[in-house]
Amino acid sequence: MQPSTESDAPATSGAPVATAEDIDDATADVSLWGPLRSRDYRWFLLGGLTFSGSLWVGITAVGWIALELTGSPSGVTLASAVWFSPFVVLALPAGVLADSMDRRWLMIVLRGLSAVLMLAGALIAFSGQLTYPLLLVLAACNGALIIIEMPARQAYIAMLVPRGQLVNAMAMLSSEGSVSRVAGPLLAGILLDETGAGGAFLAFAVLCLMIIIFTLRIRTPGRVVRERAPGAAAGRMHRELMEGLRHIAGHRDARAVVTLAILAGTVSWVYVTLLPVMTREVFDGDARLLGTLSAAIGIGQVPSAVLLAFYRNFRHTGIAYIASMLTLGLAIVGYAVSTSVPLTLGLLALTGLTFSSQHIMLNAILLRIVEPRFHGRVLGAMFLPWGFNVLGLLSAGAIAEALGVQLAVGLSGALLVIFASGAVLLRPQLLRI
């Protein structure tokens, strides 16, 4: 459906969608245990836990390896920017794929390709032939596979649980992801210290194979039942892509949330990307300390995810989203000026708590206010911020080279505070979602 006028409420027409959202919300068990009663959702959780762990092994490894190969903040930020650069081009088409293909099989195929890619990277690293250009190629290919998969993975949740359980289901997934957010960097730090890049890449490949096994155990079909637009596949994708963009543009709240997320996304990943540089330059640490500092972010994610998983009838997603962004910005500023490892661990844990809350509330807002048949495309649009953070990462790398890493990190936190405050002033209706 293409809205003809702007609206603050989602339209109600459109083709029927065979998802768990068709279950009567009034009878849904809105609690942690409601989603867990679904066998398929439990298998999905195991896959999500492993998926998150693999990503953090990869992200931690790429950052540290880039620092070792180049010795410069710009080298680290460029590697991260290359990892996320496919998000700019592929985020929206990936959303169309999530709405038109079997989401379950799409996840399986893409994890298989990622396993092959990282196994090749491990063999190259063990042979001593890994160079910085090859690292960039591995990062770009892996980023492309991830962004093609992510909208399907996020939208698949709505096919496994009722609409009334979405916040709880997503928070539960995030709480389990927090465990891997702790374990992934710690594992990467140990492997980098003991076996080098090859061990970290091999661990990534093994985790991808585990994800495939868990996903194959899920029985819920991953294909959305809806009318297909006529015409060739390429033309159909273009029409469906434009239809999704028009739906977002014609919905005031969705448009405001997407805009804010894109602005915040340009700077919110700077502090994570520059963590290897902070570890070495500020704390004179090694890969194990990097793993510990990165794991602190995951430890901070646990409380917010668990609390939201248990919470019933959460009605203040807009307030929670803005408050989380404000607090995240302030915590990043504090982390930027800290020279104490214990204080830094506490501040990084706070960033994890607020980053997790922000992510959960963002997805919950969009799944609530837009039509179900647009879920894949809207969630695909929400991965655009990860692509736009390429601009922030490259700028932060240049600032870190010229003026110091602490200033670059602190500036990113200050901008988050400005963006969140501006959203409240320009669109106060977001606080009432």
Side-chain angles (χ1 to χ4, degrees):
M1 183 194 71
Q2 177 183 347
S4 58
T5 59
E6 291 192 336
S7 171
D8 284 281
T12 57
S13 62
V17 181
T19 72
E21 294 167 344
D22 296 322
I23 301 173
D24 185 3
D25 291 340
T27 62
D29 181 5
V30 186
S31 68
L32 172 68
W33 311 118
L36 286 179
R37 289 194 175 98
S38 167
R39 170 196 175 277
D40 284 352
Y41 180 72
R42 293 195 298 271
W43 281 113
F44 184 80
L45 279 181
L46 286 175
L49 173 68
T50 313
F51 180 79
S52 178
S54 69
L55 293 189
W56 282 108
V57 168
I59 289 171
T60 305
V62 166
W64 187 258
I65 295 166
L67 183 61
E68 288 189 325
L69 291 174
T70 66
S72 73
S74 294
V76 176
T77 55
L78 177 59
S80 186
V82 167
W83 179 297
F84 290 113
S85 59
F87 286 42
V88 177
V89 179
L90 299 177
L92 294 176
V96 176
L97 289 177
D99 283 340
S100 59
M101 298 182 66
D102 188 304
R103 293 165 180 170
R104 174 173 168 268
W105 280 105
L106 186 62
M107 292 187 291
I108 291 170
V109 170
L110 291 169
R111 281 308 88 206
L113 292 174
S114 190
V116 172
L117 172 70
M118 298 312 288
L119 180 59
L123 293 175
I124 293 171
F126 280 131
S127 69
Q129 302 300 311
L130 182 63
T131 63
Y132 186 66
L134 281 175
L135 179 68
L136 296 183
V137 171
L138 287 171
C141 292
N142 199 48
L145 293 172
I146 289 169
I147 184 53
I148 294 172
E149 179 176 352
M150 285 302 293
R153 180 169 289 275
Q154 294 286 346
Y156 194 39
I157 300 175
M159 305 181 79
L160 301 175
V161 300
R163 183 191 297 269
Q165 293 176 356
L166 276 173
V167 172
N168 303 95
M170 293 171 65
M172 184 63 188
L173 183 65
S174 181
S175 65
E176 288 214 342
S178 300
V179 176
S180 57
R181 177 66 180 84
V182 175
L186 289 176
L187 175 62
I190 294 172
L191 290 173
L192 287 167
D193 202 37
E194 297 291 337
T195 66
F201 290 159
L202 181 60
F204 192 109
V206 171
L207 290 171
C208 287
L209 295 176
M210 291 175 61
I211 297 166
I212 293 173
I213 294 172
F214 295 142
T215 308
L216 284 170
R217 299 288 296 174
I218 301 175
R219 299 170 182 167
T220 302
R223 185 177 292 280
V224 179
V225 179
R226 63 190 182 89
E227 296 177 1
R228 296 297 301 274
R236 208 164 44 232
M237 173 172 283
H238 179 265
R239 284 192 294 273
E240 292 181 357
L241 176 58
M242 296 308 298
E243 184 184 26
L245 290 175
R246 284 193 294 266
H247 186 72
I248 295 173
H251 192 301
R252 288 193 183 98
D253 287 337
R255 186 175 67 232
V257 169
V258 170
T259 301
L260 177 58
I262 289 175
L263 288 174
T266 60
V267 295
S268 60
W269 200 249
V270 168
Y271 84 103
V272 178
T273 297
L274 287 175
L275 189 56
V277 184
M278 293 282 289
T279 301
R280 176 172 287 184
E281 292 190 3
V282 178
F283 303 111
D284 194 27
D286 56 11
R288 288 179 184 264
L289 179 59
L290 169 64
T292 302
L293 292 175
S294 186
I297 302 175
I299 292 173
Q301 290 180 353
V302 175
S304 66
V306 171
L307 287 174
L308 289 172
F310 276 99
Y311 202 92
R312 291 177 178 268
N313 299 321
F314 199 93
R315 301 181 184 278
H316 307 291
T317 50
I319 294 174
Y321 177 56
I322 298 296
S324 296
M325 188 180 297
L326 282 168
T327 309
L328 174 63
L330 293 173
I332 291 174
V333 171
Y335 151 70
V337 301
S338 172
T339 56
S340 164
V341 171
L343 176 59
T344 297
L345 287 171
L347 288 168
L348 288 174
L350 180 58
T351 67
L353 187 152
T354 51
F355 192 93
S356 174
S357 299
Q358 175 184 284
H359 178 71
I360 293 170
M361 290 299 104
L362 174 61
N363 285 346
I365 287 171
L366 291 172
L367 288 175
R368 280 182 173 183
I369 66 177
V370 304
E371 287 189 52
R373 69 192 183 102
F374 289 105
H375 279 173
R377 280 165 282 184
V378 172
L379 289 174
M382 290 321 302
F383 287 102
L384 280 176
W386 295 100
F388 280 103
N389 83 38
V390 169
L391 301 175
L393 291 176
L394 295 178
S395 300
I399 293 172
E401 290 276 4
L403 302 174
V405 63
Q406 289 175 289
L407 179 62
V409 173
L411 180 60
S412 70
L415 287 173
L416 277 177
V417 173
I418 293 172
F419 293 150
S421 302
V424 173
L425 294 175
L426 297 175
R427 185 66 180 170
Q429 291 88 343
L430 292 179
L431 300 177
R432 295 195 289 271
I433 296 178

